[in-house]
Amino acid sequence: MMGPVLAACLLIILSTAWISQANEALCKKDGGVCSCNNNKNSVDCADKKLTAIPSNIPADTKKLVLNYNKLRELEPTAFHNLKELTYLNLDTNQLQSLPKGVFDKLTELRTLEMRNNQLRSVPKGAFDSLSSLSLVTLYDNPWDCSCNDILYLRDWIDDNKDKVTGAQDAACGDQQSKAVLDITEKDAASDCVSPNTTTAIPTSTTTPASVIYDDIHEIKVPQENFQKFLGYQEPDHLPTQPQCLMSISGYLGLMMSLMLTSAAILYVFHFLKKA
């Protein structure tokens, strides 16, 4: 009688291990550097020098940690497949702005950490879909309080003071640390214009062809722009040797779990056949 019971227990244990190994392998595939905790549906990508959100985060993730990285921008759909997220940490990155709709699918999100970035504004309606939100951090960002789109953030903080940690600490970056909460329509009277939208009007002059060819200068393209165009990732984001070894060991563990699970199933069938 004890034989089938022990075999069933072994089968359950091995199945749990197999699921855990499969989830860990998903986090590690394609050179992934994040760590998964299957029991808590948690993915830890902290301090990995990431410049983009990894694409292989499991869809059932509830806790996603991305602090202490090099994120400068987010794709508008970066979190759209992570609808079960309840905790998102974007602290201590280099985020300068948020794309419209980036949080729209996170209706289960309870905690949003965004302090210590380079955020100057958020798009209108950025937090309107976060119906479950209970805590958000916004301080240590250089908010631009001269621009009229800061008024959405001011009104949202005012309506959600109980959710915003250190509401008064969300301060303007250029007005002697005046709190965003205290900004008036007069303070924020300017329309925002991106510094990259200014277009120079060329003047037309006639120049001999020989002079044109003799006066051609090398055009220097910033390397980071060229790499971004090619979809290139920084070397820091590529897997290191220890990370590769960890990934290989994960797959080996997965194969071992499958073999042991198969052996346990065969043992159960063999015992029942004898009985």
Side-chain angles (χ1 to χ4, degrees):
M1 185 65 183
M2 290 298 292
V5 174
L6 289 174
C9 290
L10 179 61
L11 186 59
I12 292 172
I13 293 171
L14 291 175
S15 298
T16 303
W18 180 82
I19 294 172
S20 179
Q21 290 283 352
N23 205 24
E24 186 70 19
L26 180 61
C27 277
K28 296 294 183 183
K29 76 173 185 178
D30 300 328
V33 296
C34 302
S35 299
C36 286
N37 185 330
N38 179 63
N39 295 329
K40 297 181 179 179
N41 297 100
S42 174
V43 177
D44 185 359
C45 303
D47 200 15
K48 302 295 183 183
K49 300 181 180 179
L50 299 178
T51 57
I53 306 293
S55 60
N56 51 3
I57 297 172
D60 61 348
T61 299
K62 294 184 182 298
K63 180 178 181 179
L64 178 57
V65 180
L66 289 159
N67 57 337
Y68 293 101
N69 280 297
K70 296 182 178 181
L71 301 175
R72 293 185 179 180
E73 58 184 6
L74 301 174
E75 293 294 328
T77 58
F79 307 112
H80 282 195
N81 65 326
L82 303 175
K83 298 178 182 180
E84 297 184 30
L85 270 186
T86 60
Y87 178 91
L88 176 60
N89 192 333
L90 293 165
D91 283 355
T92 317
N93 276 281
Q94 301 168 16
L95 294 174
Q96 299 177 8
S97 62
L98 297 176
K100 188 175 179 62
V102 68
F103 299 137
D104 281 2
K105 304 296 183 181
L106 303 183
T107 56
E108 301 297 321
L109 193 69
R110 298 172 189 168
T111 301
L112 176 59
E113 306 265 13
M114 292 197 301
R115 65 179 180 269
N116 197 23
N117 276 282
Q118 297 299 315
L119 292 171
R120 298 176 63 81
S121 65
V122 296
K124 187 175 181 179
F127 305 132
D128 291 357
S129 298
L130 303 178
S131 54
S132 301
L133 196 65
S134 59
L135 187 150
V136 61
T137 59
L138 299 168
Y139 56 88
D140 289 341
N141 282 289
W143 300 108
D144 185 356
C145 297
S146 63
C147 176
N148 55 27
D149 66 359
I150 198 69
L151 297 177
Y152 164 76
L153 181 62
R154 179 203 65 180
D155 294 340
W156 190 88
I157 293 176
D158 190 41
D159 294 339
N160 296 273
K161 291 177 184 176
D162 58 324
K163 301 176 183 178
V164 182
T165 300
Q168 285 290 338
D169 294 329
C172 308
D174 56 357
Q175 294 189 12
Q176 298 179 348
S177 298
K178 188 175 184 178
V180 173
L181 263 177
D182 300 330
I183 292 301
T184 66
E185 281 76 4
K186 184 178 179 180
D187 295 326
S190 301
D191 291 328
C192 291
V193 178
S194 171
N196 296 323
T197 59
T198 304
T199 303
I201 301 176
T203 56
S204 177
T205 57
T206 303
T207 308
S210 59
V211 176
I212 293 176
Y213 287 111
D214 291 340
D215 199 37
I216 292 177
H217 298 284
E218 179 183 0
I219 300 175
K220 295 183 178 180
V221 179
Q223 186 177 10
E224 59 179 5
N225 292 348
F226 184 65
Q227 291 173 349
K228 183 177 180 181
F229 174 75
L230 295 177
Y232 175 78
Q233 291 179 317
E234 292 185 359
D236 287 338
H237 185 57
L238 297 177
T240 60
Q241 185 176 2
Q243 291 163 358
C244 290
L245 292 176
M246 289 173 65
S247 181
I248 293 171
S249 64
Y251 282 110
L252 290 176
L254 179 60
M255 294 302 297
M256 182 63 71
S257 297
L258 285 172
M259 292 174 61
L260 291 175
T261 302
S262 301
I265 293 173
L266 291 174
Y267 177 78
V268 171
F269 279 122
H270 179 71
F271 189 90
L272 291 176
K273 188 175 180 181
K274 276 190 172 184

